[in-house]
Amino acid sequence: MKNNIFIRVMLATMGLFSLSLFFLVSNVYAYVASGYTRPSGNVSFYLHGALVNVGWQGAIDNARSEWNGAGSSFTFSQSGTATRSPSLVQSSTTDGYNDIGALSLDLSYVGFTSSVASGTSIIETDTAYNLEKSFDVNPNIYQYDVESVAVHELGHWLHLDETQSWRCFASPPSMCGSVSMGSTYMRSIESDDINGIQYIY
Amino acid sequence: MKKTTLIVAGLAVIVSLTTLMYGLDGKDQGGSATPQGDGTRLLVNALRTEPDFRVDTLDSSMIVQGEVIAVDELSDQPLSHNTRITISVDQLIKGDDVSETIEVYALGGGGVEVVGDNEKIGLVAGDVGIFFLGWMPVSEGFYTFFGGSRGVYVEKDAHIRNWGGKSIKTDRFVREIEKVLADPDDREHQKTLGEMIRDKESE
């Protein structure tokens, strides 16, 4: 009996100690760099006109600024608007343009980014928002945040992959692999994202 | 003896955990998956909805119980879903497709590199389980695994594992799915992006 209690107390203590240690070391860099990079210090993209028409330009600008202010040698700029579909996502074909647009995807997708690499250099990237989901620049609990999704997807343009950070459960980085409705936390890149991007560029 | 073993094991766990965590704390440890070769390749990343059993059950187009009978890599499929998995359907849990087999297309394969473990399906012929399927409404449309790997529940010894790694008896899992489906979907409809764009165009 006494033995049992001792074992239980030991297990509980060790469990609590491990847990505390885990949470105490909060600045663990768990970003994942794919090993691919962009050849120049700037990438310029076109935003689909339909997304501008529904009022998304400001949110996309904010997402771009978020990464531009990350202290890396890489910047995003926007070339203008377009009416093309994001060809890499739609049909795996390059058209020479980096595009942010929208396509119909199954309901588990929020966004989708495809890049073409030659060797280790990224030569073109396209992103599609899912036309079948609900988005807003100020989302309610049934909508996805336009800016959060843009920050996450632009992280993929720089070739940060989904982070392995345990903090995806609390105060998460922008490169966590799934997003919940109504949340806007991905708008702000966190230390894990910044460390990742500064490592690549 | 038991106490000593327990204490040593506990300390080993703590030391391993600490080493692992501090080991990750550095730039050189951040990178992974260095590509090889000089050829052009397509890389895809998907941002998925948050895993939620009820939502996934309601939003999936079809849920089947069955056996994988073939896995083929193709090329140039829409949206880079280049891996075709043919499933022999034993039971239709949700949906109205009554075919004996169903073809499901998974992201990647055929020269497309999928980035992110959530997308790696890893099915082989002979795997049995429960499969949540989504409908991809492009070209002629096709089925895919809803949520990537989280739509795939491979059965072992009459049990499946959920996302948290918890083992559940397969028939109990089926009952849980049926319970969700029996409840009315009371979620408030929001305009989709597609509807917003159409509304704007018609103004």
Side-chain angles (χ1 to χ4, degrees):
Chain A
M1 186 63 158
K2 229 177 180 181
N3 229 7
N4 260 350
I5 292 170
F6 178 79
I7 289 170
R8 281 180 194 180
V9 169
M10 278 303 295
L11 277 175
T13 310
M14 282 189 302
L16 281 172
F17 185 67
S18 303
L19 209 61
S20 312
L21 197 65
F22 194 69
F23 280 93
L24 273 173
V25 188
S26 59
N27 202 22
V28 174
Y29 301 141
Y31 63 83
V32 177
S34 67
Y36 296 92
T37 55
R38 292 197 165 271
S40 77
N42 176 268
V43 62
S44 195
F45 61 80
Y46 290 85
L47 181 62
H48 198 284
L51 302 184
V52 176
N53 290 342
V54 293
W56 286 20
Q57 183 65 68
I60 303 294
D61 289 344
N62 291 344
R64 186 162 58 86
S65 301
E66 189 67 14
W67 283 113
N68 288 352
S72 79
S73 60
F74 203 92
T75 55
F76 284 102
S77 57
Q78 187 177 330
S79 302
T81 59
T83 53
R84 292 179 296 271
S85 283
S87 65
L88 278 180
V89 179
Q90 186 170 35
S91 55
S92 309
T93 53
T94 55
D95 60 8
Y97 297 103
N98 301 305
D99 288 313
I100 298 177
L103 288 169
S104 282
L105 308 170
D106 92 31
L107 292 177
S108 69
Y109 285 98
V110 179
F112 194 120
T113 292
S114 296
S115 298
V116 163
S118 176
T120 58
S121 288
I122 301 295
I123 52 177
E124 186 179 327
T125 304
D126 286 345
T127 286
Y129 281 80
N130 189 355
L131 284 166
E132 308 301 320
K133 304 299 283 185
S134 182
F135 296 90
D136 201 274
V137 292
N138 292 302
N140 63 31
I141 57 164
Y142 300 105
Q143 297 170 317
Y144 291 94
D145 181 41
V146 176
E147 188 176 326
S148 295
V149 175
V151 169
H152 178 92
E153 296 303 331
L154 289 179
H156 288 319
W157 284 49
L158 297 168
H159 268 271
L160 270 179
D161 295 340
E162 262 79 29
T163 179
Q164 293 173 350
S165 174
W166 63 273
R167 286 186 297 140
C168 286
F169 299 101
S171 68
S174 296
M175 296 313 294
C176 291
S178 65
V179 59
S180 52
M181 288 184 286
S183 82
T184 56
Y185 67 80
M186 278 185 177
R187 286 181 182 186
S188 306
I189 55 175
E190 301 290 329
S191 56
D192 184 50
D193 306 307
I194 293 169
N195 286 318
I197 207 62
Q198 288 184 352
Y199 170 62
I200 303 173
Y201 301 98
Chain B
M1 181 64 177
K2 263 185 181 175
K3 281 182 208 168
T4 316
T5 311
L6 201 63
I7 291 165
V8 170
L11 286 172
V13 167
I14 291 163
V15 169
S16 309
L17 188 64
T18 313
T19 309
L20 174 72
M21 290 171 75
Y22 280 102
L24 288 172
D25 188 5
K27 288 180 177 179
D28 293 341
Q29 298 293 325
S32 73
T34 303
Q36 301 292 320
D38 296 327
T40 299
R41 60 172 79 179
L42 186 65
L43 313 161
V44 292
N45 296 81
L47 178 62
R48 300 281 189 169
T49 56
E50 200 171 42
D52 182 301
F53 177 68
R54 179 175 163 76
V55 173
D56 281 11
T57 302
L58 292 172
D59 281 351
S60 56
S61 305
M62 192 188 298
I63 302 173
V64 300
Q65 188 166 15
E67 178 177 350
V68 175
I69 54 174
V71 178
D72 303 293
E73 283 201 25
L74 309 166
S75 59
D76 299 329
Q77 295 298 298
L79 296 160
S80 305
H81 283 63
N82 286 354
T83 304
R84 183 179 62 203
I85 292 115
T86 310
I87 296 171
S88 167
V89 178
D90 295 329
Q91 188 192 351
L92 184 66
I93 301 168
K94 179 187 177 186
D96 51 14
D97 192 314
V98 290
S99 307
E100 287 179 7
T101 61
I102 187 162
E103 288 179 347
V104 183
Y105 292 81
L107 198 54
V112 173
E113 185 178 325
V114 181
V115 181
D117 291 341
N118 294 342
E119 303 303 323
K120 289 167 185 162
I121 306 296
L123 284 170
V124 293
D127 281 344
V128 294
I130 293 173
F131 307 99
F132 284 51
L133 309 182
W135 179 250
M136 198 69 92
V138 295
S139 304
E140 293 172 1
F142 59 89
Y143 286 108
T144 183
F145 292 107
F146 191 88
S149 61
R150 79 175 196 243
V152 174
Y153 296 86
V154 175
E155 184 183 77
K156 273 187 188 153
D157 302 325
H159 285 68
I160 59 95
R161 283 191 184 279
N162 68 11
W163 310 315
K166 190 182 167 194
S167 181
I168 303 175
K169 269 191 174 177
T170 307
D171 54 358
R172 188 177 154 204
F173 185 63
V174 172
R175 284 200 300 277
E176 284 185 15
I177 294 169
E178 288 169 343
K179 197 173 155 192
V180 170
L181 293 173
D183 277 346
D185 182 359
D186 55 0
R187 291 174 297 170
E188 193 178 302
H189 176 73
Q190 302 287 315
K191 261 188 197 170
T192 64
L193 174 57
E195 289 168 339
M196 280 170 63
I197 290 171
R198 282 192 292 276
D199 285 357
K200 211 64 182 166
E201 284 170 351
S202 64
E203 275 178 11

